[in-house]
Amino acid sequence: MGVRQMEQELVAFACGVCKGVSDRIRMESELFDIAGFENDIMEWSDYENEVPLLDERDWLRSNRPPERGQVRTVKVSHPFHMRMGEPFWIMYTPVLSSFNGWDSHPEEIEQFSFVQCSIERVIERNEFTAWLCIKILNVWMIKDYSERFPERDGREGYLEGFEMFGDRYIFNYQNWLFFSAGLQGNIGVWGLVKRIDSQYHMLVYGDWDFHTNNAYGGNILLPKDRIDGWLKQAMENNRYEKIE
């Protein structure tokens, strides 16, 4: 196999800060049922073969949700790191939430999903980004995870990151809670929690730093007294926001 063919098989990019290539993400997790990329590293389009230039920032993002069996054109960037034809999961959020944050458009939460894809073809690429054709293998809506996945005990191994960073921000929309905590914009964690029958189920967990942007899906039953304590603390510290 020639060097050029090997380069085409691997789609990975340099960090814009240190120019290093990120490590390959682990596509399995002992704690969660899905392990994949967070949505920020992939932008969805309605283009086919003709795509904007790689350095073009102003192009029309698609608000058409991915569906199983589709072939879609997407733009990916660091820390994306996958080989041609290899299945991977990525979290999907509609375009408004993707641009402005979920807390700006909480009404879109019911459309969030994890999408399993594989790279069909590289349309165009450079050191930092690429246009790809991908095949949609599966679409699993996040709102269904409390029924899709077996319930796991969340007393150990799930909340340490939030405790480590201390001052948590909590956003509440109907029966959904969004937790986030981090350190000076360099490293952080977040979680999407659904309140069901007065219990707290974490359906998505994410962690990020300069070289990672990962998201995990599952059904983690969190300790009620601990989460109630977090909510009380966030309210006292003006780190709580609620929208009906």
Side-chain angles (χ1 to χ4, degrees):
M1 182 181 295
V3 172
R4 181 173 177 79
Q5 188 174 353
M6 290 178 65
E7 288 175 349
Q8 289 176 338
E9 282 195 347
L10 178 64
V11 180
F13 307 103
C15 169
V17 177
C18 72
K19 303 301 187 287
V21 176
S22 62
D23 294 332
R24 183 185 182 279
I25 184 176
R26 289 185 61 196
M27 284 292 160
E28 61 280 330
S29 168
E30 295 177 356
L31 304 179
F32 292 90
D33 296 275
I34 294 176
F37 296 107
E38 209 260 321
N39 64 292
D40 285 354
I41 68 171
M42 180 182 286
E43 297 176 282
W44 297 78
S45 84
D46 289 322
Y47 301 114
E48 294 185 5
N49 293 318
E50 297 294 326
V51 295
L53 297 174
L54 288 167
D55 60 358
E56 175 62 57
R57 293 182 179 272
D58 297 324
W59 54 272
L60 185 62
R61 275 71 173 175
S62 174
N63 203 26
R64 181 165 56 101
E67 297 179 16
R68 183 176 178 176
Q70 287 180 337
V71 175
R72 297 288 296 268
T73 300
V74 297
K75 190 176 184 182
V76 294
S77 56
H78 177 85
F80 187 87
H81 184 136
M82 292 302 301
R83 291 193 175 277
M84 296 273 291
E86 185 176 15
F88 64 92
W89 289 96
I90 186 160
M91 185 177 170
Y92 168 80
T93 64
V95 66
L96 293 177
S97 295
S98 182
F99 267 123
N100 303 313
W102 173 67
D103 52 357
S104 298
H105 299 278
E107 71 282 357
E108 293 186 336
I109 183 62
E110 299 292 317
Q111 302 172 52
F112 284 24
S113 63
F114 272 84
V115 182
Q116 190 183 41
C117 322
S118 63
I119 303 170
E120 294 258 300
R121 182 165 59 92
V122 178
I123 300 173
E124 192 173 349
R125 67 184 292 182
N126 61 22
E127 185 181 4
F128 300 107
T129 188
W131 283 102
L132 307 176
C133 278
I134 60 168
K135 179 71 176 288
I136 309 300
L137 306 176
N138 280 298
V139 178
W140 289 357
M141 306 305 291
I142 289 169
K143 62 183 176 65
D144 300 328
Y145 286 4
S146 58
E147 299 175 0
R148 175 181 286 276
F149 298 125
E151 189 178 281
R152 300 195 191 191
D153 187 345
R155 286 175 292 185
E156 301 292 338
Y158 296 90
L159 302 178
E160 282 71 11
F162 295 99
E163 297 282 10
M164 179 176 65
F165 293 117
D167 198 13
R168 292 166 294 274
Y169 166 76
I170 301 177
F171 178 84
N172 181 197
Y173 172 72
Q174 296 181 356
N175 59 341
W176 291 94
L177 296 166
F178 175 77
F179 297 96
S180 64
L183 183 64
Q184 298 178 342
N186 297 326
I187 184 172
V189 294
W190 59 272
L192 194 55
V193 175
K194 190 174 186 180
R195 188 189 293 110
I196 304 171
D197 297 330
S198 77
Q199 298 292 329
Y200 299 105
H201 295 251
M202 184 159 63
L203 306 186
V204 185
Y205 172 83
D207 57 31
W208 57 271
D209 59 27
F210 284 122
H211 285 175
T212 58
N213 203 349
N214 302 333
Y216 306 88
N219 179 20
I220 315 302
L221 181 62
L222 302 176
K224 186 176 187 302
D225 56 346
R226 198 168 174 187
I227 302 305
D228 285 340
W230 284 10
L231 286 164
K232 181 180 178 182
Q233 185 181 47
M235 292 176 189
E236 292 172 348
N237 295 339
N238 294 319
R239 298 282 290 167
Y240 174 84
E241 183 179 358
K242 183 174 183 178
I243 295 179
E244 294 295 341

